[in-house]
């Protein structure tokens, strides 16, 4: 089972980017994203950003994940 966690692009260097989620940073490939920009939220799978996600939806999803983690 895969869990898609929205990640925010905080740095871009050619076709590679650094994303951050809940303080964790990871380098990802941006080849599959049209016109990536710092500040965009993306879904990452196996080291590749595979799609952009709306900021409002990304923040709501992260809020729900935090609530689930706190209830465990």
């Amino acid at each position: 089972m895969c869990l898609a966690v929205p990640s925010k692009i905080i740095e871009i260097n050619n076709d590679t980017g650094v994303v951050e989620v809940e303080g964790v940073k990871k380098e990802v490939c941006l080849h599959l994203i049209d016109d990536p920009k710092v500040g965009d939220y993306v879904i990452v799978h196996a080291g590749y950003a595979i799609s952009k996600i709306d900021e409002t939806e990304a923040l709501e999803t992260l809020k729900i994940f935090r609530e689930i983690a706190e209830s465990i």
Side-chain angles (χ1 to χ4, degrees):
M1 180 170 99
C2 294
L3 182 61
V5 178
S7 304
K8 185 176 185 177
I9 299 175
I10 60 169
E11 183 180 320
I12 296 176
N13 196 4
N14 297 318
D15 287 330
T16 302
V18 176
V19 297
E20 185 268 334
V21 61
E22 299 296 315
V24 177
K25 296 176 184 174
K26 178 179 178 136
E27 190 172 276
V28 299
C29 179
L30 298 172
H31 282 106
L32 303 176
I33 302 295
D34 290 331
D35 194 29
K37 293 182 176 54
V38 170
D40 285 346
Y41 281 85
V42 293
I43 299 299
V44 178
H45 178 69
Y48 286 83
I50 60 172
S51 65
K52 287 186 184 181
I53 185 172
D54 174 80
E55 181 177 9
T56 303
E57 184 178 354
L59 295 175
E60 180 64 24
T61 301
L62 291 170
K63 178 182 173 221
I64 292 167
F65 285 157
R66 279 191 296 275
E67 289 171 356
I68 291 169
E70 290 171 2
S71 72
I72 296 176

